Amino acid sequence: MTRKWRPSLWLVLGGALAGTLALSLAGIVALRYLGPEIGFRHAAVLLAAIIGLLTAILWLMLLRVLLRPVTALAAYAAAMRAPGREAVAPPEHFGTRELHDMGLSVIDMAATLSNRETTVRSFTNHVTHELRTPISTLRAATELLEDSADLSPADRHLVAQVRGAGQQLDRQMEALRQVAAARETDYRGHTRLPEVIAGLAPRHPGLRISQHGDDVLLPLTMEGAEIVFSHLFENATVHGAKTVSVETRSKAGLLVVVRDDGRGVSAGNRERIFEPFFTTRRESGGTGMGLHIVASLLRAHGGRILLEPATEGSGAAFRIEFPQA
């Protein structure tokens, strides 16, 4: 990325078009004068060879100035998002001035995103590490106090609340780790939805799960798909659902609609259900991270999840979209 002169894109394209036009006109003029001298057939063969050689040289110049920098930048972007990547060297050749500016912008954006991922991971690791010791201390202290025979009922109630708070902190830390894993782990691959449902059905014995629609491949590995649908099935279970239907459509991208017959989502909570730590089940152990984990994982792999509009007398319906299946 040393400083050197780089032609503008308009100069390269304009020069290529002008050179092509000049070769054509020069060939016509040369054929007019060479034809009578060496014969039109020989002149045509000679001029075709010369024009072909000069056109090949022009093509090689365009290949070096335009195609190679674009290909190198695409390879750099692919290497940056690859799982388990190490230090990736940025491209050295950018061709034109405009491609140089675009390349530097892409490299800067990739570095910014990488730094953000590192910050999130470091913060998550730091928080979970720092909280592990006090949580263990709380757990040990509450166990000792519960074994004491001198506690009054009010004291035992207080100790139970402290123990519950420690368990809640433990669940929140695990949820934070899952969110970080959903954002950073690469689950790119392909999995058939019936195989995912067949693997998850025994884990949710209280649900009757049905699947219908197009036979599609989910653009996720089996592990990634299980994380997404396991959270959705668990969400349906805790909201009183007995049946879940999974509908798939593959027209204009991949669409999966997961619909249950539970209590649904109230109007006041619909805008917040994908927010981290938002839950209506705090007292019963809810962390409010399940749907946020699903949304983060899908967003990191080119998809998204939406809550479908509420229908009178029905449960919740979640819409998963991938632009390309």
Side-chain angles (χ1 to χ4, degrees):
M1 293 190 292
T2 57
R3 294 182 62 86
K4 58 183 178 181
W5 180 81
R6 294 180 177 86
S8 296
L9 185 59
W10 68 266
L11 181 61
V12 173
L13 295 179
L17 293 174
T20 303
L21 180 60
L23 285 176
S24 302
L25 293 177
I28 295 174
V29 174
L31 181 63
R32 179 180 178 182
Y33 288 98
L34 281 178
E37 300 293 333
I38 63 175
F40 283 97
R41 177 176 298 178
H42 292 88
V45 172
L46 177 62
L47 290 173
I50 295 174
I51 292 174
L53 177 61
L54 294 176
T55 302
I57 294 174
L58 183 61
W59 176 78
L60 289 175
M61 292 177 59
L62 291 176
L63 185 69
R64 177 180 176 81
V65 175
L66 296 181
L67 183 60
R68 189 175 73 165
V70 172
T71 304
L73 193 59
Y76 172 77
M80 284 296 293
R81 70 171 183 265
R85 68 176 185 272
E86 297 179 356
V88 181
E92 297 180 356
H93 302 282
F94 291 101
T96 68
R97 192 179 307 156
E98 291 81 3
L99 289 178
H100 174 261
D101 294 339
M102 182 184 71
L104 292 181
S105 297
V106 171
I107 291 171
D108 182 65
M109 179 182 66
T112 300
L113 293 176
S114 179
N115 291 336
R116 287 180 181 177
E117 285 187 3
T118 303
T119 301
V120 171
R121 181 170 58 252
S122 300
F123 175 76
T124 302
N125 292 338
H126 174 73
V127 170
T128 54
H129 175 74
E130 292 298 322
L131 289 179
R132 187 176 294 116
T133 298
I135 288 176
S136 299
T137 303
L138 276 176
R139 186 182 298 115
T142 52
E143 289 177 355
L144 288 175
L145 289 173
E146 287 174 337
D147 291 338
S148 174
D150 300 330
L151 291 180
S152 65
D155 291 336
R156 291 191 179 278
H157 178 70
L158 180 59
V159 169
Q161 287 184 320
V162 173
R163 175 166 49 82
Q167 293 172 346
Q168 181 68 20
L169 282 172
D170 205 15
R171 287 191 293 267
Q172 295 289 8
M173 286 200 310
E174 177 59 28
L176 280 175
R177 287 192 290 266
Q178 291 180 9
V179 170
R183 290 169 58 94
E184 298 175 11
T185 307
D186 196 317
Y187 294 110
R188 289 180 179 87
H190 290 91
T191 308
R192 294 198 175 277
L193 184 56
E195 297 175 2
V196 178
I197 294 177
L200 291 178
R203 308 182 199 176
H204 304 276
L207 283 180
R208 186 170 68 254
I209 305 171
S210 63
Q211 188 262 325
H212 55 280
D214 299 338
D215 184 14
V216 298
L217 282 175
L218 295 173
L220 296 169
T221 62
M222 175 65 77
E223 183 181 1
E226 285 185 344
I227 291 173
V228 170
F229 288 94
S230 178
H231 279 295
L232 292 178
F233 294 162
E234 179 65 24
N235 186 75
T237 301
V238 299
H239 287 87
K242 300 300 182 183
T243 62
V244 172
S245 67
V246 182
E247 179 184 356
T248 56
R249 293 198 294 271
S250 57
K251 186 177 181 180
L254 173 61
L255 170 65
V256 182
V257 178
V258 180
R259 193 183 309 274
D260 64 58
D261 62 349
R263 293 186 294 272
V265 182
S266 65
N269 295 334
R270 295 182 65 84
E271 299 297 325
R272 302 185 59 193
I273 59 170
F274 296 112
E275 294 180 4
F277 303 111
F278 174 75
T279 179
T280 58
R281 301 185 303 107
R282 187 77 62 190
E283 295 78 8
S284 58
T287 63
M289 298 297 284
L291 291 177
H292 180 67
I293 290 171
V294 172
S296 297
L297 189 151
L298 291 174
R299 185 165 53 251
H301 294 80
R304 65 173 183 168
I305 183 170
L306 305 169
L307 180 64
E308 293 243 288
T311 304
E312 186 68 24
S314 65
F318 293 92
R319 178 188 184 96
I320 299 174
E321 298 177 347
F322 285 95
Q324 295 180 350

